[in-house]
Amino acid sequence: MLLTNNGRRITGLVIGLLLLCIIFVFSILLGYTDTSFKTVIQAFQHFNGSNEHIIIKEVRLPRALIGTIVGSSLAITGALLQALTKNPLASPDILGINSGASFFVILGLMFFSISSLQAFAWLAFLGAALTSVIVYFLGSMGREGLTPIKLTLAGAAMAALFSSMAQGFLVMNESALEEVLFWMAGSVQGRSLKILFSVLPYIITGTLIAFLISNKINVLTMGEDVAKGLGQRTGALKLLIGTSVILLSGASVAVAGPIGFIGIVVPHIVKWLVGNDYRWILPYCGITGGILLLLADIGARYIVMPQEVPVGVMTAIIGTPFFIYIARKGGKNS
């Protein structure tokens, strides 16, 4: 039976990868400028400098790559946070990690005139790390120690604080407001591959850490006492999970801004498909997160055509009803 289950999961991964590839192609194909499959193929095989070919190679291809990688990173981050905190509503946006990373990027832009992509990445990492520590500390205060409800409240408070401070600073600087307003809503539009490549090493490192410790995460989810009884060094494991979360969420914010709800929605869908084994949850999250963000980005191109809405708005439309559904279930997994 175990082999049968694993065989089904492998088949599911293959189907998911094929679906991701198909949606990736449609992400390059679809948009305000009409293109065809033939035009897409010619743009890569016989680039002629035409407007259609430039849009395909310089705009839509980077957009599709960034959407896939950011969606994957956010979904894996959400799964890690839910395992670490035992809170099914945990995600980088709900716990304020995205807001903290965004706030530090805005501070660097406004007060230190930082424009380096590498510097943006480090500022986002710093903001993500600081927010994670503060939220974890606040959620652990009191006799009961760390509880899901306290963690969620602490994260919501920090998200509100950083968002309000960021908006307050931007109101005082209209030029900076125009520059980062669209970015703050969460978007993959207009991003270049140079931005992605500047943070790709951190995303790869964070993903590898998550995959390498996936089996240990299974033990940790059984309870800290059980994990310690089995000889697991829970402190070191939590540190590795936190490092992976900071690398993945910080890099995602540096590239695309604070995109919400991917980290909540995807882990629950995946757990419904493959169960609670993190050796399968994490790769499934990586694929499903990329699929969901690409679909949201494609939809964002058509709502108010010829204009576009930020993809963060689309993920909020998708994720808010799901968040309410999970909350009404009392936080139980789907």
Side-chain angles (χ1 to χ4, degrees):
M1 188 66 180
L2 181 61
L3 291 174
T4 301
N5 287 338
N6 285 343
R8 290 174 180 172
R9 289 164 175 167
I10 292 172
T11 302
L13 280 178
V14 173
I15 293 173
L17 282 171
L18 290 175
L19 183 59
L20 177 61
C21 291
I22 292 170
I23 297 173
F24 185 92
V25 171
F26 275 101
S27 179
I28 298 175
L29 180 66
L30 300 175
Y32 179 69
T33 301
D34 290 330
T35 55
S36 64
F37 283 108
K38 182 178 179 180
T39 305
V40 171
I41 294 172
Q42 288 177 343
F44 292 100
Q45 291 184 342
H46 307 288
F47 182 75
N48 58 19
S50 65
N51 185 52
E52 291 81 4
H53 284 194
I54 291 174
I55 288 174
I56 289 169
K57 292 195 70 173
E58 302 299 327
V59 178
R60 291 185 184 169
L61 176 62
R63 185 171 183 169
L65 285 171
I66 290 171
T68 301
I69 293 173
V70 169
S72 174
S73 300
L74 291 174
I76 292 172
T77 302
L80 291 174
L81 283 172
Q82 289 173 19
L84 177 63
T85 64
K86 298 179 177 60
N87 181 359
L89 298 178
S91 70
D93 46 312
I94 297 299
L95 296 186
I97 296 173
N98 284 355
S99 297
S102 301
F103 177 68
F104 272 69
V105 171
I106 291 170
L107 283 183
L109 177 68
M110 289 188 58
F111 294 101
F112 302 101
S113 300
I114 293 174
S115 59
S116 165
L117 299 176
Q118 195 75 9
F120 274 165
W122 282 110
L123 285 171
F125 294 145
L126 179 60
L130 181 61
T131 306
S132 299
V133 172
I134 294 174
V135 169
Y136 194 85
F137 173 75
L138 293 175
S140 301
M141 293 178 65
R143 293 181 179 178
E144 303 88 356
L146 184 68
T147 64
I149 185 64
K150 286 164 59 179
L151 197 68
T152 303
L153 291 174
M158 294 307 300
L161 174 64
F162 282 125
S163 296
S164 299
M165 291 175 65
Q167 292 171 11
F169 284 134
L170 290 173
V171 166
M172 296 186 296
N173 189 331
E174 292 184 3
S175 61
L177 176 62
E178 294 176 1
E179 187 172 348
V180 302
L181 187 60
F182 198 81
W183 176 83
M184 283 185 66
S187 176
V188 295
Q189 179 187 1
R191 306 302 198 265
S192 68
L193 288 180
K194 186 178 180 181
I195 299 175
L196 176 63
F197 291 153
S198 68
V199 300
L200 193 57
Y202 309 118
I203 291 177
I204 293 173
T205 302
T207 303
L208 286 175
I209 290 173
F211 283 6
L212 289 173
I213 63 176
S214 59
N215 193 40
K216 296 181 184 296
I217 295 175
N218 286 334
V219 179
L220 183 64
T221 56
M222 297 169 63
E224 191 159 349
D225 291 338
V226 174
K228 288 180 178 178
L230 294 174
Q232 191 175 87
R233 298 171 60 187
T234 56
L237 179 59
K238 290 179 179 179
L239 181 61
L240 287 172
I241 294 175
T243 300
S244 180
V245 166
I246 290 168
L247 289 173
L248 291 173
S249 59
S252 298
V253 171
V255 174
I259 296 176
F261 291 102
I262 296 290
I264 292 179
V265 173
V266 173
H268 286 280
I269 295 174
V270 168
K271 288 175 184 177
W272 179 75
L273 291 172
V274 300
N276 295 313
D277 189 341
Y278 277 82
R279 293 173 299 177
W280 294 100
I281 287 174
L282 295 181
Y284 265 84
C285 278
I287 294 172
T288 309
I291 289 173
L292 184 59
L293 191 55
L294 283 179
L295 288 174
D297 184 46
I298 292 172
R301 306 175 195 183
Y302 288 94
I303 288 184
V304 290
M305 246 181 140
Q307 301 298 320
E308 294 187 15
V309 299
V311 71
V313 175
M314 286 298 298
T315 58
I317 293 172
I318 297 170
T320 299
F322 194 91
F323 178 85
I324 295 171
Y325 170 71
I326 295 297
R328 284 178 62 86
K329 286 182 64 179
K332 296 177 182 179
N333 292 336
S334 300

